[in-house]
Coordinates of all heavy atoms in Angstrom, one line a residue:
V394 N 58.0 -12.9 -0.5 CA 56.7 -12.8 -1.2 C 56.1 -14.2 -1.3 O 56.7 -15.2 -1.6 CB 56.8 -12.2 -2.5 CG1 57.5 -13.0 -3.6 CG2 55.4 -11.8 -3.1
F395 N 54.8 -14.3 -1.1 CA 54.0 -15.6 -1.5 C 53.0 -15.2 -2.6 O 52.3 -14.1 -2.4 CB 53.2 -16.1 -0.3 CG 54.0 -16.7 0.9 CD1 53.4 -17.2 2.0 CD2 55.5 -16.8 0.7 CE1 54.1 -17.8 3.0 CE2 56.2 -17.5 1.8 CZ 55.5 -17.9 2.9
D396 N 53.0 -15.9 -3.6 CA 52.1 -15.7 -4.8 C 50.7 -16.3 -4.4 O 50.6 -17.5 -4.1 CB 52.7 -16.6 -6.0 CG 52.0 -16.3 -7.3 OD1 50.9 -15.8 -7.2 OD2 52.6 -16.7 -8.3
V397 N 49.7 -15.4 -4.5 CA 48.4 -15.9 -4.2 C 47.5 -15.8 -5.4 O 46.2 -15.9 -5.3 CB 47.7 -15.1 -3.0 CG1 48.5 -15.5 -1.8 CG2 47.8 -13.6 -3.2
W398 N 48.1 -16.0 -6.6 CA 47.2 -16.3 -7.7 C 46.8 -17.6 -7.7 O 47.6 -18.5 -7.2 CB 48.1 -16.0 -9.1 CG 48.3 -14.5 -9.4 CD1 48.9 -13.6 -8.6 CD2 48.1 -14.0 -10.7 NE1 49.0 -12.4 -9.5 CE2 48.4 -12.6 -10.6 CE3 47.5 -14.4 -11.8 CZ2 48.3 -11.7 -11.8 CZ3 47.3 -13.6 -13.0 CH2 47.7 -12.2 -12.9
E399 N 45.7 -18.0 -8.2 CA 45.3 -19.4 -8.2 C 46.1 -20.4 -8.8 O 46.3 -21.5 -8.4 CB 43.8 -19.5 -8.6 CG 42.7 -19.0 -7.7 CD 41.3 -19.3 -8.2 OE1 41.2 -19.5 -9.5 OE2 40.4 -19.2 -7.5
H400 N 46.9 -19.9 -9.9 CA 47.7 -20.7 -10.7 C 48.9 -21.3 -9.7 O 49.5 -22.2 -10.0 CB 48.3 -20.1 -11.9 CG 49.3 -19.0 -11.8 ND1 49.2 -17.8 -12.5 CD2 50.3 -18.8 -10.9 CE1 50.0 -17.0 -12.1 NE2 50.8 -17.5 -11.2
A401 N 49.2 -20.5 -8.7 CA 50.3 -20.9 -7.8 C 50.0 -22.1 -6.9 O 50.8 -22.9 -6.4 CB 50.7 -19.8 -6.8
Y402 N 48.6 -22.4 -6.6 CA 48.3 -23.4 -5.7 C 47.0 -24.4 -6.1 O 46.9 -25.4 -5.4 CB 47.9 -22.8 -4.3 CG 46.8 -21.8 -4.3 CD1 45.5 -22.3 -4.2 CD2 47.0 -20.5 -4.4 CE1 44.4 -21.3 -4.2 CE2 45.9 -19.5 -4.5 CZ 44.6 -19.9 -4.4 OH 43.6 -19.1 -4.4
Y403 N 46.4 -24.0 -7.1 CA 45.2 -24.8 -7.5 C 45.4 -26.2 -7.8 O 44.5 -27.2 -7.4 CB 44.3 -24.1 -8.5 CG 42.9 -24.1 -8.2 CD1 42.3 -23.0 -7.3 CD2 42.0 -25.0 -8.7 CE1 41.0 -23.0 -6.9 CE2 40.6 -25.0 -8.3 CZ 40.2 -24.0 -7.4 OH 38.8 -24.0 -7.1
L404 N 46.5 -26.6 -8.5 CA 46.8 -28.0 -8.8 C 47.0 -28.8 -7.6 O 46.7 -30.0 -7.5 CB 47.9 -28.1 -9.8 CG 47.7 -27.5 -11.1 CD1 49.0 -27.5 -11.9 CD2 46.7 -28.4 -11.9
D405 N 47.6 -28.3 -6.5 CA 48.0 -29.0 -5.3 C 46.9 -28.8 -4.2 O 46.8 -29.7 -3.4 CB 49.3 -28.5 -4.8 CG 50.4 -28.8 -5.7 OD1 50.3 -29.6 -6.6 OD2 51.5 -28.0 -5.7
Y406 N 46.3 -27.7 -4.1 CA 45.4 -27.4 -3.0 C 44.0 -27.0 -3.3 O 43.2 -26.7 -2.5 CB 46.1 -26.1 -2.2 CG 47.4 -26.4 -1.6 CD1 48.5 -26.2 -2.4 CD2 47.5 -26.9 -0.3 CE1 49.8 -26.4 -1.8 CE2 48.9 -27.1 0.3 CZ 50.0 -26.8 -0.5 OH 51.2 -27.1 0.0
Q407 N 43.7 -27.0 -4.6 CA 42.4 -26.5 -5.1 C 42.1 -25.2 -4.4 O 42.9 -24.3 -4.5 CB 41.3 -27.6 -4.8 CG 41.5 -28.9 -5.6 CD 42.7 -29.7 -5.0 OE1 42.6 -30.0 -3.9 NE2 43.6 -30.2 -5.9
N408 N 40.9 -25.0 -3.8 CA 40.5 -23.8 -3.2 C 41.0 -23.5 -1.8 O 40.8 -22.4 -1.2 CB 39.0 -23.6 -3.1 CG 38.4 -24.7 -2.3 OD1 39.0 -25.8 -2.1 ND2 37.3 -24.3 -1.7
R409 N 42.0 -24.3 -1.3 CA 42.4 -24.1 0.1 C 43.7 -23.2 0.1 O 44.8 -23.6 0.4 CB 42.8 -25.6 0.6 CG 41.6 -26.5 0.6 CD 41.8 -27.7 1.4 NE 43.0 -28.4 1.0 CZ 43.1 -29.2 -0.1 NH1 42.2 -29.5 -0.8 NH2 44.3 -29.8 -0.3
R410 N 43.4 -22.0 -0.2 CA 44.5 -21.0 -0.3 C 45.3 -21.0 1.1 O 46.6 -20.7 1.2 CB 44.0 -19.6 -0.7 CG 45.1 -18.6 -0.8 CD 44.6 -17.1 -0.8 NE 44.2 -16.9 -2.2 CZ 43.7 -15.6 -2.5 NH1 43.6 -14.6 -1.6 NH2 43.4 -15.3 -3.8
A411 N 44.6 -20.9 2.2 CA 45.2 -20.7 3.5 C 46.1 -22.0 3.8 O 47.2 -21.8 4.5 CB 44.1 -20.7 4.6
D412 N 45.8 -23.2 3.4 CA 46.7 -24.3 3.5 C 48.0 -24.1 2.7 O 49.1 -24.5 3.3 CB 46.0 -25.6 3.1 CG 44.8 -26.0 4.0 OD1 44.6 -25.4 5.1 OD2 44.0 -27.0 3.7
Y413 N 47.8 -23.7 1.5 CA 49.0 -23.4 0.7 C 49.9 -22.4 1.3 O 51.1 -22.5 1.5 CB 48.5 -22.9 -0.7 CG 49.5 -22.0 -1.5 CD1 50.5 -22.6 -2.1 CD2 49.2 -20.7 -1.5 CE1 51.5 -21.8 -2.8 CE2 50.0 -19.8 -2.2 CZ 51.1 -20.3 -2.9 OH 52.0 -19.6 -3.6
L414 N 49.3 -21.2 1.8 CA 50.2 -20.3 2.5 C 50.9 -20.8 3.7 O 52.0 -20.5 3.9 CB 49.3 -19.0 2.8 CG 48.7 -18.3 1.7 CD1 47.7 -17.3 2.1 CD2 49.8 -17.6 0.9
H415 N 50.1 -21.6 4.5 CA 50.8 -22.1 5.7 C 51.9 -23.1 5.4 O 52.9 -23.1 6.0 CB 49.6 -22.8 6.5 CG 50.1 -23.4 7.9 ND1 50.5 -22.4 8.9 CD2 50.4 -24.5 8.4 CE1 50.8 -23.1 9.9 NE2 50.9 -24.4 9.7
R416 N 51.7 -23.9 4.3 CA 52.7 -24.9 4.0 C 54.0 -24.3 3.4 O 55.1 -24.9 3.5 CB 52.0 -25.9 3.0 CG 52.9 -27.1 2.7 CD 53.4 -27.8 4.0 NE 52.3 -28.7 4.6 CZ 52.0 -29.9 4.1 NH1 52.5 -30.4 3.0 NH2 51.0 -30.6 4.7
L417 N 53.9 -23.1 2.9 CA 55.1 -22.5 2.2 C 56.2 -22.2 3.3 O 57.4 -22.2 2.9 CB 54.7 -21.2 1.5 CG 54.0 -21.2 0.2 CD1 53.8 -20.0 -0.5 CD2 54.7 -22.3 -0.8
W418 N 55.9 -22.0 4.5 CA 56.9 -21.8 5.5 C 57.9 -23.0 5.5 O 59.1 -22.7 5.9 CB 56.4 -21.6 6.9 CG 55.5 -20.4 7.1 CD1 54.0 -20.4 7.5 CD2 55.7 -19.0 6.8 NE1 53.6 -19.2 7.4 CE2 54.6 -18.3 7.0 CE3 56.9 -18.4 6.3 CZ2 54.5 -16.9 6.8 CZ3 56.9 -17.0 6.2 CH2 55.6 -16.3 6.5
D419 N 57.4 -24.1 5.2 CA 58.3 -25.4 5.1 C 59.5 -25.2 4.2 O 60.5 -26.0 4.3 CB 57.6 -26.7 4.8 CG 56.6 -27.0 5.8 OD1 56.6 -26.4 7.0 OD2 55.7 -27.8 5.6
I420 N 59.3 -24.4 3.2 CA 60.4 -24.3 2.1 C 61.1 -23.0 2.0 O 61.9 -22.8 1.2 CB 59.8 -24.7 0.7 CG1 58.5 -23.9 0.4 CG2 59.5 -26.3 0.7 CD1 58.0 -24.1 -1.0
V421 N 60.6 -21.9 2.7 CA 61.3 -20.6 2.7 C 62.7 -20.8 3.2 O 62.8 -21.4 4.3 CB 60.5 -19.6 3.5 CG1 61.4 -18.2 3.6 CG2 59.2 -19.3 2.9
D422 N 63.6 -20.3 2.5 CA 65.0 -20.3 3.1 C 65.4 -18.9 3.7 O 65.6 -17.9 2.9 CB 66.1 -20.6 1.9 CG 67.4 -20.7 2.4 OD1 67.8 -20.3 3.6 OD2 68.4 -21.1 1.7

Side-chain angles (χ1 to χ4, degrees):
V394 73
F395 288 179
D396 188 341
V397 292
W398 285 57
E399 285 185 344
H400 67 222
Y402 60 87
Y403 224 81
L404 291 171
D405 298 334
Y406 299 86
Q407 294 76 49
N408 62 334
R409 302 188 308 279
R410 182 194 274 183
D412 292 352
Y413 152 77
L414 292 170
H415 187 66
R416 188 54 79 79
L417 284 188
W418 298 122
D419 294 344
I420 53 170
V421 171
D422 183 351

